[in-house]
Amino acid sequence: MSDAIAVHHGSFGRAALYRLDKPIVTHAHREGHLIFFLSGSAAKVTVSGECQIADTDRAVAVSPWEPHSFELLEPQGACHCLVLYIKPIWFLESSESAEYALRFGRSGIEVNPAVLRALRLISSLMHEEETPGVFNKYLYELTSRSFQESWAGIDRSQPLILGEQKFTDYRVRRSLRLMQEQFAETLGMDELARQSGLSRPHFFTLFKKQMGVSPNIYLNTLRTERAIQELVNTNKSVTDISTDLGFSSQASFTRFFASNVGIPPTEYRRVGYST
């Protein structure tokens, strides 16, 4: 069974050491996402429809809201990996230049000596009780090195814009507000499209064009984020969390969480803490 070795939460976002032996369905994050192979079976990460390999020589970078999935190259194996979820605003505030918005140039990243050094430092710190300042320093180094490597050989003459507003249609804005307000309820896509003033096909097409992900993935992201907040910051039982999020049973919530995060909610709570 997939499990977590350590999970750190902080102003940067979150960092996790995972042992994964199950696939993770197509999903997305608000954060920039970095996946580093440590040992075991190599993995295939499909980012916006393109296959990337995470192994000893390569890591995978996923820009905010970019859809991606995860699976092992050896179905019976397990992958030990370091996974980072970096808040774009933290990366911007930690950078010397405002042009360093957290949008990666390419998804496949070479694990060069500079990236490898930073990766080993963070992996080591994940097992220790270091102060947030020390951890954040090396976390920024790893993220920055990976960011630079993702842009190697690519023209960056156009400045990057943090949080570019891709959605301008008022119907998309209305659907986003409805999802924010009702994500814990049984919100059907047909009803969401109707309340947004669109047919279901037109709604899906317009939403994905402007947001980069389907409305289903966006809604699942909201539910996953709230579940993680509740697991780490409250003493609510997993059953109560599943009920609050609108799931019919704890079992269905556990399946949802494991397929989107990679591990069961009880396992995530066991090792998750803030720095």
Side-chain angles (χ1 to χ4, degrees):
M1 182 181 72
S2 296
D3 52 27
I5 300 166
V7 180
H8 289 218
H9 290 256
S11 59
F12 58 86
R14 54 193 167 107
L17 287 175
Y18 287 146
R19 175 190 174 276
L20 299 174
D21 61 10
K22 296 288 190 298
I24 302 176
V25 299
T26 300
H27 61 292
H29 311 283
R30 297 176 192 267
E31 305 94 342
H33 191 33
L34 288 163
I35 303 168
F36 299 96
F37 169 88
L38 297 177
S39 64
S41 171
K44 179 177 75 173
V45 184
T46 302
V47 184
S48 294
E50 295 187 2
C51 175
Q52 305 293 338
I53 303 300
D55 58 16
T56 53
D57 299 315
R58 293 160 291 184
V60 179
V62 185
S63 295
W65 288 115
E66 197 168 17
H68 58 285
S69 61
F70 174 97
E71 61 183 292
L72 298 170
L73 292 182
E74 300 175 15
Q76 304 305 315
C79 177
H80 290 81
C81 52
L82 172 66
V83 184
L84 306 181
Y85 308 82
I86 303 298
K87 294 179 181 178
I89 191 63
W90 177 84
F91 186 68
L92 179 68
E93 291 174 343
S94 301
S95 302
E96 295 181 356
S97 171
E99 71 174 353
Y100 281 175
L102 191 54
R103 186 161 294 279
F104 297 103
R106 61 169 64 86
S107 297
I109 296 178
E110 178 188 352
V111 180
N112 59 34
V115 172
L116 181 60
R117 172 185 174 276
L119 173 60
R120 287 174 173 169
L121 278 169
I122 285 295
S123 298
S124 176
L125 289 173
M126 289 287 289
H127 293 282
E128 302 173 9
E129 294 186 4
E130 292 287 347
T131 63
V134 172
F135 187 82
N136 286 6
K137 173 185 175 182
Y138 291 117
L139 187 69
Y140 174 74
E141 179 182 350
L142 178 55
T143 306
S144 180
R145 297 284 188 186
S146 300
F147 176 85
Q148 293 167 15
E149 177 58 29
S150 80
W151 284 100
I154 298 177
D155 180 16
R156 281 205 294 131
S157 58
Q158 295 298 319
L160 298 173
I161 302 174
L162 178 69
E164 57 182 309
Q165 297 299 306
K166 295 182 289 185
F167 50 95
T168 57
D169 191 285
Y170 73 94
R171 294 163 296 185
V172 172
R173 294 198 300 271
R174 180 185 298 166
S175 72
L176 293 173
R177 185 179 69 252
L178 289 168
M179 282 191 272
Q180 290 281 356
E181 294 171 350
Q182 304 177 40
F183 72 88
E185 303 172 15
T186 305
L187 188 61
M189 290 296 116
D190 288 338
E191 177 63 17
L192 183 59
R194 188 190 67 77
Q195 291 190 44
S196 301
L198 296 165
S199 67
R200 181 186 173 104
H202 190 189
F203 171 59
F204 270 72
T205 299
L206 184 62
F207 192 99
K208 187 167 185 178
K209 179 181 179 180
Q210 297 201 354
M211 293 301 298
V213 295
S214 70
N216 305 80
I217 289 178
Y218 188 91
L219 187 59
N220 286 344
T221 299
L222 296 180
R223 287 175 170 154
T224 301
E225 289 176 346
R226 175 58 64 85
I228 288 173
Q229 291 173 8
E230 298 284 275
L231 288 167
V232 174
N233 299 318
T234 76
N235 293 319
K236 288 183 180 179
S237 68
V238 174
T239 299
D240 286 343
I241 294 172
S242 66
T243 300
D244 291 345
L245 291 175
F247 289 90
S248 59
S249 67
Q250 179 180 330
S252 61
F253 168 62
T254 296
R255 287 192 297 271
F256 167 84
F257 192 90
S259 66
N260 282 274
V261 179
I263 60 173
T266 50
E267 179 67 13
Y268 193 96
R269 167 171 273 174
R270 181 181 66 82
V271 297
Y273 63 92
S274 299
T275 57

